[in-house]
Amino acid sequence: MALIGLVRVSTDKQNVDRQHDALDPICVKVFEEKVSGKLAVDERPGLSAALDYLRDGDMLTVQEVDRLGRDTLTGLVTLAELFERNISVKVLEGVGAGEHTEMNLLLELSLVLASERRRDIVKKTKDGLAAARSRGRIGGRRPVMTEALTIQAAALRDRGFTIRQIQPHLRIAEGKNKGKNPSVGAISQALRGYDETKEGVK
């Protein structure tokens, strides 16, 4: 049995060192992805690559269970799919720590707690931005997906491209990541916003 690691953060600017520090010493190979944990398994390049690499008896290993899914529902769906493929999961830290071959109460509880923790962080961030705006300061990062990139992504999607197929065709035009491809998560989020805007116009 070999431990195969998965490191996930949602954006390019988030640090992955803590996860690598936990996984690199014990895993024969560690896959990394910088995408939203809300995406389906087949839209997550790191997780998909890890699944292709895993052999019978190997164990997918994460530092905490929420690396498999950003919210409770996504995490449960991802775990259910892994267990259906007879892939066991090892969680190093948190309420769900341990080795798992099927869904259980500890895993469900750990996903619920992680989702609640994230909601609390999001709320505090929004409150902080609102307070800054009330004082005349504008917070938050400039979005990577500009209007032009979003329109290009939507056009490719309308031609039948998946988000992972769209990604290589897009290039960030300015800023620290100039010349790089936007993350799958950024493209997905931009397209959701684009669709919501179109719905509002109808």
Side-chain angles (χ1 to χ4, degrees), residues 1 5-6 16 22 25-26 34 61-62 67 70 89 91 93-94 100 105 120 128 149 154 163-164 168 171 193 195:
M1 181 192 76
L6 175 67
V16 295
I26 62 172
K34 295 186 177 182
T61 307
V62 290
R67 298 303 92 197
R70 183 178 179 181
V89 174
V91 181
E93 300 176 13
H100 308 276
L105 185 59
D120 185 53
L149 282 179
I163 291 178
R164 288 177 67 187
R171 288 287 184 276
D195 292 339

Side-chain angles (χ1 to χ4, degrees), residues 18 22 39 41 55 57 62 87 89 103 132 138 144 154 158 172 182 193:
R18 192 169 74 91
L39 296 176
V41 171
R55 297 294 177 263
V62 290
I87 295 171
V89 174
M103 191 58 66
I138 304 299
V144 167
D158 291 345
I172 299 169

Side-chain angles (χ1 to χ4, degrees), residues 28-193:
V28 298
K29 190 171 182 64
V30 176
F31 293 87
E32 179 182 312
E33 60 184 10
K34 295 186 177 182
V35 299
S36 169
K38 286 187 173 183
L39 296 176
V41 171
D42 59 2
E43 293 183 323
R44 293 177 53 182
L47 180 54
S48 297
L51 296 183
D52 289 341
Y53 187 87
L54 283 159
R55 297 294 177 263
D56 191 36
D58 289 348
M59 186 173 290
L60 183 65
T61 307
V62 290
Q63 185 183 25
E64 295 175 310
V65 73
D66 60 343
R67 298 303 92 197
L68 293 173
R70 183 178 179 181
D71 55 43
T72 305
L73 178 59
T74 308
L76 290 172
V77 170
T78 302
L79 283 166
E81 184 169 338
L82 294 175
F83 294 145
E84 284 176 8
R85 298 184 186 188
N86 293 318
I87 295 171
S88 54
V89 174
K90 183 180 181 71
V91 181
L92 301 182
E93 300 176 13
V95 176
E99 298 181 357
H100 308 276
T101 57
E102 60 184 12
M103 191 58 66
N104 57 63
L105 185 59
L106 278 179
L107 283 175
E108 293 180 17
L109 178 59
S110 62
L111 285 168
V112 169
L113 291 174
S115 185
E116 289 294 330
R117 185 172 67 238
R118 170 160 183 79
R119 272 197 291 269
D120 185 53
I121 291 170
V122 169
K123 182 179 184 302
K124 287 178 179 177
T125 300
K126 287 182 177 178
D127 289 346
L129 291 173
R133 282 194 295 270
S134 72
R135 293 174 172 81
R137 298 194 299 271
I138 304 299
R141 295 192 299 261
R142 178 181 296 180
V144 167
M145 286 292 292
T146 61
E147 183 178 0
L149 282 179
T150 302
I151 291 171
Q152 184 182 348
L156 289 169
R157 183 188 60 181
D158 291 345
R159 289 169 56 190
F161 285 64
T162 66
I163 291 178
R164 288 177 67 187
Q165 290 170 336
I166 291 170
Q167 186 186 29
H169 294 276
L170 305 181
R171 288 287 184 276
I172 299 169
E174 58 184 26
K176 190 171 98 172
N177 294 313
K178 181 177 179 180
K180 294 182 179 179
N181 304 117
S183 69
V184 171
I187 299 169
S188 177
Q189 184 177 12
L191 287 174
R192 281 198 299 271

